[in-house]
Amino acid sequence: MTHIIFLHGASSSGKSTLARTLQARIELPFWHVSIDHLRDAGVLPLQRFRCGDFDWQAARPAFFKGFHASLAAYARAGNNLILEHILDDDAWLPELQALLAPFDVYFVGLHCPLTVLNEREAARGDRPVGSAQRDFETVHLGKNYDLELQSLDGAERNSDLILRGWRGGARNSDFAR
């Protein structure tokens, strides 16, 4: 059975730090997958979007449809995934539920205080101003998780809690079969 640990939370909530900590401690090989990896690797023609050559809003649906399909393809091939993602479109949850239905998905909600999100967003400088606040106000609404965590509790403690819950096998989230 292929396993997916899905880290969901606002922009700048600490998903990447938690994913790296988890990947270093888990007993099976897991790929760490995120949109940031694609962005940072130069997969997207970001400069062309920024200067207006291309329209990101027009390209965004196809990009995410492809990203979501790639997650299912990685998992079908037998790759365990630590996925960090922000479900900021209402259509994405049902899309991912269908695509990831054959796999063991452990859905984790990562929460972080708004003041901290805003500080992190400003320090990073690579996110649109206000995206952390928008995510804070919306991304967790109506989501049912296997585990909910507070980012400020630290990556070590949170990875311990994820590993304990994931190993326990109980699944009660939006992805439970």
Side-chain angles (χ1 to χ4, degrees):
M1 167 70 68
T2 301
H3 305 283
I4 300 170
I5 298 174
F6 189 142
L7 305 177
H8 179 250
S11 176
S12 302
S13 63
K15 295 181 303 294
S16 296
T17 300
L18 180 56
R20 285 189 299 272
T21 302
L22 189 57
Q23 187 182 43
R25 301 176 72 204
I26 199 162
E27 63 269 15
L28 297 172
F30 272 76
W31 292 23
H32 172 196
V33 182
S34 79
I35 297 300
D36 291 355
H37 295 144
L38 296 174
R39 182 201 65 219
D40 296 346
V43 171
L44 293 168
L46 291 179
Q47 187 57 38
R48 304 284 305 273
F49 285 119
R50 286 185 188 120
C51 76
D53 287 348
F54 303 135
D55 179 359
W56 173 243
Q57 290 308 311
R60 190 174 192 264
F63 171 80
F64 279 100
K65 186 175 182 84
F67 176 66
H68 295 160
S70 76
L71 299 171
Y74 294 143
R76 270 194 310 278
N79 299 292
N80 298 313
L81 306 176
I82 298 170
L83 167 63
E84 55 170 296
H85 198 2
I86 305 168
L87 298 175
D88 64 9
D89 183 309
D90 290 338
W92 292 352
L93 179 59
E95 178 182 338
L96 285 166
Q97 285 171 314
L99 287 168
L100 303 180
F103 314 110
D104 170 43
V105 179
Y106 191 69
F107 193 31
V108 178
L110 186 61
H111 300 272
C112 188
L114 181 57
T115 55
V116 175
L117 291 175
N118 287 333
E119 289 169 8
R120 289 177 180 175
E121 178 181 84
R124 290 173 75 158
D126 66 350
R127 299 289 191 274
V129 174
S131 62
Q133 180 165 345
R134 182 190 65 246
D135 291 349
F136 175 83
E137 294 170 351
T138 61
V139 298
H140 293 295
L141 296 176
K143 307 293 185 301
N144 297 305
Y145 298 105
D146 293 303
L147 179 66
E148 295 192 57
L149 302 170
Q150 292 296 325
S151 179
L152 295 184
D153 289 342
E156 292 290 327
R157 180 176 189 281
N158 284 336
S159 66
D160 286 344
L161 293 170
I162 291 170
L163 289 171
R164 187 176 313 130
W166 172 74
R167 289 173 183 144
R171 306 291 183 261
N172 298 304
S173 75
D174 290 324
F175 289 93
R177 289 180 279 152

